[in-house]
Amino acid sequence: MNLSKRRLVVLLALLLPVAAHAAPSAAAKREIQGLMDALSASSCEFQRNGTWHGREEARKHLQRKYDYLLKRDLADTAEQFIERAASKSSISGRAYQVRCPGQPAQPAATWFKAKLDALRGSAARAR
């Protein structure tokens, strides 16, 4: 193989993983936005690293984490958003909690998965 063909092969090998990674679909973006909206519309508090935060502060925090993941192609689905941004602290590894009025605190992953199921159920009924 001559030098120019070798360079082309190397260039394609380097670019292929970038091309293979897709951005979140429109449906995934809607679902993630729906999860953020559900948090904002709730009367729940969000605990991270032992401190409770209001829903708007929590949303801003999760939006920053989501933006970080998007730049690195690490949140292509709502499930990945929940797992990688909304479940635990990236720094301490401690699980996030959600506490809603009249209910015990629960893992944020559980709360967001229930909201995702509800969103998907609403979408299916709307068809």
Side-chain angles (χ1 to χ4, degrees):
M1 186 180 306
N2 67 31
L3 185 59
S4 62
K5 283 185 181 179
R6 234 180 281 160
R7 285 182 181 163
L8 180 61
V9 169
V10 169
L11 180 62
L12 288 174
L14 292 173
L15 293 177
L16 190 59
V18 174
H21 233 306
S25 68
K29 287 179 181 178
R30 277 193 305 275
E31 287 178 342
I32 293 166
Q33 184 66 44
L35 293 173
M36 297 280 211
D37 291 346
L39 179 61
S40 292
S42 76
S43 299
C44 303
E45 294 178 294
F46 189 85
Q47 184 193 73
R48 63 177 221 257
N49 295 321
T51 304
W52 289 99
H53 301 274
R55 60 186 182 244
E56 286 307 315
E57 187 178 343
R59 183 187 178 127
K60 287 178 187 174
H61 174 72
L62 293 178
Q63 185 66 55
R64 283 190 302 271
K65 287 185 75 173
Y66 178 52
D67 291 343
Y68 175 88
L69 292 171
L70 278 177
K71 288 178 186 174
R72 288 152 184 81
D73 291 325
L74 295 172
D76 293 339
T77 66
E79 287 84 0
Q80 288 177 342
F81 165 76
I82 293 169
E83 177 189 335
R84 296 174 180 169
S87 294
K88 66 182 178 180
S89 170
S90 303
I91 296 170
S92 71
R94 289 176 66 180
Y96 294 149
Q97 298 284 310
V98 174
R99 178 175 67 190
C100 302
Q103 300 176 7
Q106 62 181 305
T110 302
W111 190 87
F112 279 108
K113 286 176 186 171
K115 294 298 177 190
L116 181 59
D117 288 345
L119 283 171
R120 287 178 174 167
S122 297
R125 288 189 294 275
R127 289 183 207 152

